[in-house]
PDB file of all heavy atoms in Angstrom:
ATOM      1  N   LEU Y  60      37.401 -41.216  68.608  1.00  0.00           N
ATOM      2  CA  LEU Y  60      36.141 -41.024  67.883  1.00  0.00           C
ATOM      3  C   LEU Y  60      35.749 -42.337  67.228  1.00  0.00           C
ATOM      4  O   LEU Y  60      36.581 -43.023  66.625  1.00  0.00           O
ATOM      5  CB  LEU Y  60      36.282 -39.926  66.835  1.00  0.00           C
ATOM      6  CG  LEU Y  60      35.012 -39.525  66.071  1.00  0.00           C
ATOM      7  CD1 LEU Y  60      35.014 -38.024  65.762  1.00  0.00           C
ATOM      8  CD2 LEU Y  60      34.873 -40.327  64.767  1.00  0.00           C
ATOM      9  N   LEU Y  70      28.488 -37.649  56.286  1.00  0.00           N
ATOM     10  CA  LEU Y  70      29.319 -36.440  56.395  1.00  0.00           C
ATOM     11  C   LEU Y  70      30.458 -36.383  55.384  1.00  0.00           C
ATOM     12  O   LEU Y  70      31.167 -35.379  55.300  1.00  0.00           O
ATOM     13  CB  LEU Y  70      29.872 -36.309  57.823  1.00  0.00           C
ATOM     14  CG  LEU Y  70      30.795 -37.411  58.367  1.00  0.00           C
ATOM     15  CD1 LEU Y  70      32.218 -37.313  57.876  1.00  0.00           C
ATOM     16  CD2 LEU Y  70      30.775 -37.392  59.894  1.00  0.00           C
ATOM     17  N   VAL Y 145      33.620 -39.663  71.698  1.00  0.00           N
ATOM     18  CA  VAL Y 145      32.355 -39.383  71.015  1.00  0.00           C
ATOM     19  C   VAL Y 145      32.214 -40.360  69.853  1.00  0.00           C
ATOM     20  O   VAL Y 145      33.198 -40.846  69.297  1.00  0.00           O
ATOM     21  CB  VAL Y 145      32.267 -37.933  70.508  1.00  0.00           C
ATOM     22  CG1 VAL Y 145      32.341 -36.953  71.669  1.00  0.00           C
ATOM     23  CG2 VAL Y 145      33.364 -37.629  69.484  1.00  0.00           C
ATOM     24  N   GLY Y 163      27.005 -40.338  72.104  1.00  0.00           N
ATOM     25  CA  GLY Y 163      26.756 -40.284  70.676  1.00  0.00           C
ATOM     26  C   GLY Y 163      26.397 -38.883  70.224  1.00  0.00           C
ATOM     27  O   GLY Y 163      25.840 -38.095  70.989  1.00  0.00           O
ATOM     28  N   MET Y 164      26.716 -38.579  68.980  1.00  0.00           N
ATOM     29  CA  MET Y 164      26.427 -37.264  68.402  1.00  0.00           C
ATOM     30  C   MET Y 164      25.965 -37.428  66.959  1.00  0.00           C
ATOM     31  O   MET Y 164      26.224 -38.450  66.322  1.00  0.00           O
ATOM     32  CB  MET Y 164      27.674 -36.372  68.437  1.00  0.00           C
ATOM     33  CG  MET Y 164      28.115 -35.982  69.823  1.00  0.00           C
ATOM     34  SD  MET Y 164      29.574 -34.892  69.788  1.00  0.00           S
ATOM     35  CE  MET Y 164      29.614 -34.371  71.498  1.00  0.00           C
ATOM     36  N   GLY Y 165      25.304 -36.393  66.432  1.00  0.00           N
ATOM     37  CA  GLY Y 165      24.885 -36.385  65.043  1.00  0.00           C
ATOM     38  C   GLY Y 165      26.051 -36.162  64.105  1.00  0.00           C
ATOM     39  O   GLY Y 165      27.162 -35.789  64.520  1.00  0.00           O
ATOM     40  N   SER Y 166      25.804 -36.369  62.817  1.00  0.00           N
ATOM     41  CA  SER Y 166      26.889 -36.335  61.841  1.00  0.00           C
ATOM     42  C   SER Y 166      27.570 -34.970  61.739  1.00  0.00           C
ATOM     43  O   SER Y 166      28.786 -34.893  61.507  1.00  0.00           O
ATOM     44  CB  SER Y 166      26.359 -36.759  60.469  1.00  0.00           C
ATOM     45  OG  SER Y 166      26.007 -38.124  60.478  1.00  0.00           O
ATOM     46  N   THR Y 167      26.820 -33.876  61.921  1.00  0.00           N
ATOM     47  CA  THR Y 167      27.435 -32.549  61.843  1.00  0.00           C
ATOM     48  C   THR Y 167      28.440 -32.346  62.967  1.00  0.00           C
ATOM     49  O   THR Y 167      29.566 -31.864  62.757  1.00  0.00           O
ATOM     50  CB  THR Y 167      26.360 -31.453  61.898  1.00  0.00           C
ATOM     51  OG1 THR Y 167      25.445 -31.631  60.817  1.00  0.00           O
ATOM     52  CG2 THR Y 167      26.992 -30.074  61.804  1.00  0.00           C
ATOM     53  N   ASP Y 168      28.051 -32.732  64.193  1.00  0.00           N
ATOM     54  CA  ASP Y 168      28.968 -32.615  65.328  1.00  0.00           C
ATOM     55  C   ASP Y 168      30.164 -33.545  65.169  1.00  0.00           C
ATOM     56  O   ASP Y 168      31.292 -33.198  65.537  1.00  0.00           O
ATOM     57  CB  ASP Y 168      28.228 -32.933  66.628  1.00  0.00           C
ATOM     58  CG  ASP Y 168      27.233 -31.858  67.018  1.00  0.00           C
ATOM     59  OD1 ASP Y 168      27.549 -30.671  66.834  1.00  0.00           O
ATOM     60  OD2 ASP Y 168      26.142 -32.195  67.501  1.00  0.00           O
ATOM     61  N   ILE Y 169      29.924 -34.733  64.628  1.00  0.00           N
ATOM     62  CA  ILE Y 169      31.013 -35.676  64.425  1.00  0.00           C
ATOM     63  C   ILE Y 169      31.986 -35.154  63.370  1.00  0.00           C
ATOM     64  O   ILE Y 169      33.207 -35.324  63.478  1.00  0.00           O
ATOM     65  CB  ILE Y 169      30.467 -37.059  64.039  1.00  0.00           C
ATOM     66  CG1 ILE Y 169      29.770 -37.705  65.248  1.00  0.00           C
ATOM     67  CG2 ILE Y 169      31.565 -37.967  63.519  1.00  0.00           C
ATOM     68  CD1 ILE Y 169      30.688 -38.002  66.423  1.00  0.00           C
ATOM     69  N   LEU Y 170      31.470 -34.491  62.341  1.00  0.00           N
ATOM     70  CA  LEU Y 170      32.344 -33.903  61.326  1.00  0.00           C
ATOM     71  C   LEU Y 170      33.323 -32.928  61.978  1.00  0.00           C
ATOM     72  O   LEU Y 170      34.532 -32.955  61.701  1.00  0.00           O
ATOM     73  CB  LEU Y 170      31.508 -33.198  60.260  1.00  0.00           C
ATOM     74  CG  LEU Y 170      32.249 -32.611  59.048  1.00  0.00           C
ATOM     75  CD1 LEU Y 170      31.350 -32.615  57.819  1.00  0.00           C
ATOM     76  CD2 LEU Y 170      32.739 -31.187  59.301  1.00  0.00           C
ATOM     77  N   TYR Y 171      32.818 -32.048  62.842  1.00  0.00           N
ATOM     78  CA  TYR Y 171      33.669 -31.075  63.527  1.00  0.00           C
ATOM     79  C   TYR Y 171      34.709 -31.780  64.402  1.00  0.00           C
ATOM     80  O   TYR Y 171      35.905 -31.442  64.382  1.00  0.00           O
ATOM     81  CB  TYR Y 171      32.806 -30.143  64.373  1.00  0.00           C
ATOM     82  CG  TYR Y 171      33.590 -29.120  65.165  1.00  0.00           C
ATOM     83  CD1 TYR Y 171      34.019 -27.941  64.580  1.00  0.00           C
ATOM     84  CD2 TYR Y 171      33.910 -29.351  66.501  1.00  0.00           C
ATOM     85  CE1 TYR Y 171      34.743 -27.001  65.301  1.00  0.00           C
ATOM     86  CE2 TYR Y 171      34.633 -28.417  67.236  1.00  0.00           C
ATOM     87  CZ  TYR Y 171      35.054 -27.238  66.629  1.00  0.00           C
ATOM     88  OH  TYR Y 171      35.774 -26.320  67.342  1.00  0.00           O
ATOM     89  N   ALA Y 172      34.241 -32.791  65.166  1.00  0.00           N
ATOM     90  CA  ALA Y 172      35.159 -33.501  66.055  1.00  0.00           C
ATOM     91  C   ALA Y 172      36.212 -34.276  65.269  1.00  0.00           C
ATOM     92  O   ALA Y 172      37.379 -34.336  65.673  1.00  0.00           O
ATOM     93  CB  ALA Y 172      34.374 -34.446  66.955  1.00  0.00           C
ATOM     94  N   LEU Y 173      35.814 -34.844  64.139  1.00  0.00           N
ATOM     95  CA  LEU Y 173      36.734 -35.622  63.323  1.00  0.00           C
ATOM     96  C   LEU Y 173      37.854 -34.753  62.759  1.00  0.00           C
ATOM     97  O   LEU Y 173      39.002 -35.186  62.638  1.00  0.00           O
ATOM     98  CB  LEU Y 173      35.960 -36.286  62.182  1.00  0.00           C
ATOM     99  CG  LEU Y 173      36.658 -37.350  61.342  1.00  0.00           C
ATOM    100  CD1 LEU Y 173      37.089 -38.531  62.199  1.00  0.00           C
ATOM    101  CD2 LEU Y 173      35.740 -37.823  60.221  1.00  0.00           C
ATOM    102  N   ALA Y 174      37.529 -33.511  62.456  1.00  0.00           N
ATOM    103  CA  ALA Y 174      38.519 -32.604  61.870  1.00  0.00           C
ATOM    104  C   ALA Y 174      39.363 -31.880  62.911  1.00  0.00           C
ATOM    105  O   ALA Y 174      40.518 -31.522  62.635  1.00  0.00           O
ATOM    106  CB  ALA Y 174      37.816 -31.575  60.986  1.00  0.00           C
ATOM    107  N   THR Y 175      38.816 -31.679  64.109  1.00  0.00           N
ATOM    108  CA  THR Y 175      39.505 -30.848  65.104  1.00  0.00           C
ATOM    109  C   THR Y 175      39.965 -31.593  66.349  1.00  0.00           C
ATOM    110  O   THR Y 175      40.839 -31.097  67.074  1.00  0.00           O
ATOM    111  CB  THR Y 175      38.590 -29.699  65.553  1.00  0.00           C
ATOM    112  OG1 THR Y 175      37.479 -30.244  66.279  1.00  0.00           O
ATOM    113  CG2 THR Y 175      38.077 -28.893  64.362  1.00  0.00           C
ATOM    114  N   LYS Y 177      38.045 -31.930  68.813  1.00  0.00           N
ATOM    115  CA  LYS Y 177      37.357 -31.211  69.896  1.00  0.00           C
ATOM    116  C   LYS Y 177      35.860 -31.210  69.644  1.00  0.00           C
ATOM    117  O   LYS Y 177      35.390 -31.483  68.545  1.00  0.00           O
ATOM    118  CB  LYS Y 177      37.868 -29.771  69.987  1.00  0.00           C
ATOM    119  CG  LYS Y 177      39.339 -29.645  70.379  1.00  0.00           C
ATOM    120  CD  LYS Y 177      39.797 -28.204  70.465  1.00  0.00           C
ATOM    121  CE  LYS Y 177      39.937 -27.584  69.085  1.00  0.00           C
ATOM    122  NZ  LYS Y 177      40.541 -26.220  69.146  1.00  0.00           N
ATOM    123  N   THR Y 178      35.114 -30.883  70.688  1.00  0.00           N
ATOM    124  CA  THR Y 178      33.674 -30.710  70.569  1.00  0.00           C
ATOM    125  C   THR Y 178      33.214 -29.723  71.631  1.00  0.00           C
ATOM    126  O   THR Y 178      34.004 -29.301  72.486  1.00  0.00           O
ATOM    127  CB  THR Y 178      32.933 -32.061  70.718  1.00  0.00           C
ATOM    128  OG1 THR Y 178      31.555 -31.886  70.376  1.00  0.00           O
ATOM    129  CG2 THR Y 178      33.022 -32.595  72.148  1.00  0.00           C
ATOM    130  N   TRP Y 179      31.951 -29.333  71.541  1.00  0.00           N
ATOM    131  CA  TRP Y 179      31.351 -28.446  72.540  1.00  0.00           C
ATOM    132  C   TRP Y 179      30.348 -29.248  73.355  1.00  0.00           C
ATOM    133  O   TRP Y 179      29.592 -30.054  72.816  1.00  0.00           O
ATOM    134  CB  TRP Y 179      30.654 -27.260  71.879  1.00  0.00           C
ATOM    135  CG  TRP Y 179      31.622 -26.337  71.217  1.00  0.00           C
ATOM    136  CD1 TRP Y 179      32.112 -26.414  69.950  1.00  0.00           C
ATOM    137  CD2 TRP Y 179      32.246 -25.190  71.812  1.00  0.00           C
ATOM    138  NE1 TRP Y 179      33.005 -25.389  69.704  1.00  0.00           N
ATOM    139  CE2 TRP Y 179      33.108 -24.624  70.836  1.00  0.00           C
ATOM    140  CE3 TRP Y 179      32.165 -24.586  73.068  1.00  0.00           C
ATOM    141  CZ2 TRP Y 179      33.872 -23.489  71.071  1.00  0.00           C
ATOM    142  CZ3 TRP Y 179      32.927 -23.460  73.311  1.00  0.00           C
ATOM    143  CH2 TRP Y 179      33.765 -22.914  72.329  1.00  0.00           C
ATOM    144  N   LYS Y 249      23.120 -38.674  78.961  1.00  0.00           N
ATOM    145  CA  LYS Y 249      24.277 -38.246  78.167  1.00  0.00           C
ATOM    146  C   LYS Y 249      25.419 -39.240  78.324  1.00  0.00           C
ATOM    147  O   LYS Y 249      26.091 -39.599  77.360  1.00  0.00           O
ATOM    148  CB  LYS Y 249      24.716 -36.861  78.628  1.00  0.00           C
ATOM    149  CG  LYS Y 249      25.876 -36.259  77.841  1.00  0.00           C
ATOM    150  CD  LYS Y 249      25.445 -35.809  76.460  1.00  0.00           C
ATOM    151  CE  LYS Y 249      26.532 -35.015  75.765  1.00  0.00           C
ATOM    152  NZ  LYS Y 249      26.124 -34.642  74.387  1.00  0.00           N
TER     153      LYS Y 249
END
Side-chain angles (χ1 to χ4, degrees):
L60 185 145
L70 62 79
V145 298
M164 293 181 169
S166 292
T167 301
D168 289 321
I169 290 296
L170 185 151
Y171 178 83
L173 191 61
T175 67
K177 295 180 287 187
T178 190
W179 292 87
K249 183 73 171 177

